[in-house]
Amino acid sequence: MTELLAVITLTLLAVISPGPDFAMVSRNSLQLSRRAGLLTALGIGLGVLAHVGYTLFGVGLLVRQSVWLFGLLKLAGAGYLVFLGIRMLRSRPDDGSPGPHSAPALSDIAALRTGFLTNALNPKTMVFVVSLFLQAVRPDTPLSVQAGYGAFIAVAHVVWFALVALFFSAGTVQGRLLKIRHRIDHVFGAVLIGFGMLLVSPA
């Protein structure tokens, strides 16, 4: 019971803390559609499952202890966030109607992939998952129970970010914020670039 409470508490604290996942879900929900936001949230959950999967096989600990592997992951994650941020910073004002300056539409697969890569390439999520299983979960805990913990972590991410998507795609919220959509894109772009720079900054 103590182990379960630790997993639940640490997961909920990690999920609600601001990060690139929040920025991507809120941006896609606001600028694109509720469907895009929900699929981005689902992609984030799949990214968490990727972290859980290699952690259960011991690969996560290997990556964390290998300086060059961890550094490579940090560079990849930072590069992806900066790439997304630059794309958002290049947005221009529009009159609110569909046009060449509106946020480009995302296919379902693209929205899912955006969420997955944003999370899967985030070394901080990897460190969280690995540390959780190393410090809060006993070594003698059955693998099936550990897999259940991993599933809970992924589901918690999907549920939280689905709620974020529902909020930012609500008619009243969306209607007010879309009037300044290019400024919001600039803010989210700057946030993602900031997170990318933090990933490669010295600890």
Side-chain angles (χ1 to χ4, degrees), residues 73-74 77-78 81 121-124 194-201:
L73 178 60
K74 289 178 67 175
L81 293 180
L121 292 177
N122 187 351
K124 292 188 176 181
F195 279 122
M197 298 303 293
L198 286 175
L199 288 182
V200 294
S201 63

Side-chain angles (χ1 to χ4, degrees), residues 25-100:
V25 172
S26 53
R27 185 265 179 184
N28 285 351
S29 304
L30 176 64
Q31 301 277 43
L32 301 175
S33 66
R34 174 170 295 179
R35 182 181 182 88
L38 291 174
L39 286 170
T40 304
L42 180 58
I44 289 170
L46 294 177
V48 173
L49 285 179
H51 291 297
V52 170
Y54 65 64
T55 297
L56 293 181
F57 284 103
V59 179
L61 181 60
L62 173 64
V63 173
R64 189 180 178 187
Q65 292 181 340
S66 174
V67 176
W68 74 270
L69 276 178
F70 189 64
L72 184 63
L73 178 60
K74 289 178 67 175
L75 286 176
Y80 183 68
L81 293 180
V82 170
F83 166 73
L84 292 176
I86 291 175
R87 287 183 60 185
M88 293 182 192
L89 286 177
R90 294 175 62 187
S91 68
R92 295 291 182 269
D94 60 77
D95 57 6
S97 59

Side-chain angles (χ1 to χ4, degrees), residues 27-203:
R27 185 265 179 184
N28 285 351
S29 304
L30 176 64
Q31 301 277 43
L32 301 175
S33 66
R34 174 170 295 179
R35 182 181 182 88
L38 291 174
L39 286 170
T40 304
L42 180 58
I44 289 170
L46 294 177
V48 173
L49 285 179
H51 291 297
V52 170
Y54 65 64
T55 297
L56 293 181
F57 284 103
V59 179
L61 181 60
L62 173 64
V63 173
R64 189 180 178 187
Q65 292 181 340
S66 174
V67 176
W68 74 270
L69 276 178
F70 189 64
L72 184 63
L73 178 60
K74 289 178 67 175
L75 286 176
Y80 183 68
L81 293 180
V82 170
F83 166 73
L84 292 176
I86 291 175
R87 287 183 60 185
M88 293 182 192
L89 286 177
R90 294 175 62 187
S91 68
R92 295 291 182 269
D94 60 77
D95 57 6
S97 59
H101 298 310
S102 298
L106 280 181
S107 66
D108 290 351
I109 294 297
L112 195 68
R113 183 175 62 244
T114 298
F116 175 80
L117 291 177
T118 300
N119 188 276
L121 292 177
N122 187 351
K124 292 188 176 181
T125 305
M126 184 270 284
V127 170
F128 163 71
V129 173
V130 174
S131 298
L132 180 65
F133 278 89
L134 286 178
Q135 299 173 17
V137 180
R138 297 189 305 271
D140 59 345
T141 299
L143 184 61
S144 59
V145 175
Q146 294 190 42
Y149 291 156
F152 168 77
I153 296 170
V155 170
H157 278 75
V158 172
V159 170
W160 168 251
F161 288 113
L163 292 175
V164 172
L166 292 175
F167 173 78
F168 279 96
S169 62
T172 53
V173 175
Q174 196 175 43
R176 292 177 181 177
L177 294 181
L178 280 181
K179 297 176 182 178
I180 53 172
R181 67 173 64 184
H182 70 288
R183 294 181 182 176
I184 294 174
D185 244 1
H186 290 173
V187 171
F188 283 141
V191 167
L192 290 179
I193 291 175
F195 279 122
M197 298 303 293
L198 286 175
L199 288 182
V200 294
S201 63

